């Protein structure tokens, strides 16, 4: 089996937000947390700890967002 895209978690100062997820997405997040924890020797990581790194990875990979952000910041 290959490695997950998400690497080890890094601690950072959190900002609390509240979101509602569809049940299927939450179940996937719980399953991902279990696999991720086993792979990175960080067992019992709560699934909510993965939301920020997954979002950061998604946003970082979105080239159109990066382009739009550069345009907005140069305006």
């Amino acid at each position: 089996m290959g490695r997950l895209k998400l690497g080890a978690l890094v601690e950072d100062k959190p900002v609390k937000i509240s979101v509602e997820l569809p049940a299927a997405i939450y179940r996937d997040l719980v399953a991902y947390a279990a696999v991720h924890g086993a792979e990175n020797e960080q067992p019992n990581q709560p699934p909510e700890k993965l939301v920020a790194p997954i979002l950061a990875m998604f946003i970082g990979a979105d080239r159109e967002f990066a382009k739009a952000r550069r345009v907005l910041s140069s305006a």
Side-chain angles (χ1 to χ4, degrees):
M1 184 166 95
R3 300 212 23 102
L4 297 176
K5 287 185 177 185
L6 188 63
L9 299 180
V10 177
E11 286 297 319
D12 194 9
K13 184 177 178 186
V15 176
K16 189 151 188 111
I17 65 169
S18 209
V19 296
E20 290 185 22
L21 300 174
I25 296 294
Y26 180 73
R27 286 189 299 270
D28 286 345
L29 190 59
V30 169
Y32 195 101
V35 173
H36 181 269
E39 187 173 280
N40 290 286
E41 299 178 0
Q42 296 176 316
N44 302 325
Q45 283 290 337
E48 54 270 15
K49 286 279 198 178
L50 299 179
V51 173
I54 289 171
L55 284 173
M57 187 170 55
F58 175 83
I59 290 170
D62 190 327
R63 292 179 185 212
E64 288 302 314
F65 173 70
K67 249 193 292 190
R69 190 177 205 177
R70 280 193 300 274
V71 169
L72 287 174
S73 67
S74 67

